[in-house]
Amino acid sequence: MNTPSPLNYTRTAKSLHWLMALMIFGLLALGFYMSDLPLSPEKLQYYSWHKWAGVSVFALVWLRLVWRVTHRPPAMPDHMSAPMQWAAHAGHFALYALMIAIPLSGWLMSSAKGVQTVWFGVLPIPDLIGKDKELGKSLAELHEALSIGLLLLIAGHAAAAFFHHFFHKDDTLRRMLPAR
């Protein structure tokens, strides 16, 4: 039985969206900042914070996926062509894929470099692979490339929302805003 789509996203969907957006922006900023710092206790602390937040985003994306699967989102605007709808679905799929792949690549990288993650300094996260210095370097490059890809995809996501808001004058942007 098909139930009609709601007009707006649920409060939970909006909260997860904006919480993860803030966390991801923070992770990207911290990640790019800390990578060029000289080795120091401060840099090691930044890496710990980055890893803690990355594990948190990894957990939240799975919660968000469960919520998304169990709660139907609002329908796309009627004026959207089939190719635009396909692009929107592909963009959302790519966002979710990167929100999984980036923390996973970081986890694999830490494992390969022999530096275990201890979530918030309390819960040890098991290594996924054995220590391998060369693989660790390759995974670091992958982690950075995926992060740049995510940054570009987020820019496209925001541009599409603003395009809907200012060009089409529909409620695509407003229905995800926290106040609505």
Side-chain angles (χ1 to χ4, degrees):
M1 179 168 133
N2 285 338
T3 58
S5 292
L7 297 176
N8 294 304
Y9 287 93
T10 64
R11 183 175 294 155
T12 301
K14 291 178 188 183
S15 297
L16 287 169
H17 176 273
W18 291 108
L19 172 64
M20 290 185 69
L22 287 171
M23 290 179 73
I24 288 169
F25 281 127
L27 276 163
L28 288 168
L30 181 59
F32 288 119
Y33 171 73
M34 70 185 189
S35 63
D36 290 332
L37 292 176
L39 185 61
S40 68
E42 179 181 68
K43 181 176 183 168
L44 295 175
Q45 183 62 62
Y46 290 153
Y47 268 85
S48 290
W49 293 344
H50 183 79
K51 290 163 69 170
W52 299 346
V55 170
S56 299
V57 164
F58 191 64
L60 283 172
V61 73
W62 292 106
L63 176 64
R64 190 169 175 192
L65 278 167
V66 167
W67 188 265
R68 172 67 177 77
V69 167
T70 60
H71 294 78
R72 191 173 180 161
M76 293 193 184
D78 293 335
H79 63 79
M80 282 183 70
S81 65
M84 284 181 72
Q85 288 186 29
W86 180 89
H89 289 302
H92 283 108
F93 177 83
L95 284 168
Y96 280 105
L98 286 173
M99 287 187 289
I100 292 169
I102 292 170
L104 188 56
S105 69
W107 187 0
L108 287 165
M109 173 183 57
S110 288
S111 297
K113 289 185 173 190
V115 183
Q116 186 178 35
T117 300
V118 181
W119 195 35
F120 293 105
V122 177
L123 180 64
I125 307 295
D127 288 336
L128 294 176
I129 55 177
K131 189 173 179 179
D132 181 332
K133 188 176 181 180
E134 288 305 310
L135 180 58
K137 286 181 185 178
S138 296
L139 287 165
E141 291 173 7
L142 175 65
H143 189 70
E144 183 177 358
L146 292 173
S147 297
I148 291 168
L150 179 61
L151 193 56
L152 295 172
L153 195 56
I154 289 169
H157 181 71
F162 288 123
F163 179 77
H164 275 278
H165 187 74
F166 292 111
F167 182 75
H168 287 295
K169 300 194 185 310
D170 61 30
D171 69 345
T172 299
L173 175 64
R174 287 188 305 261
R175 65 187 182 181
M176 184 50 91
L177 293 176
R180 190 163 179 206

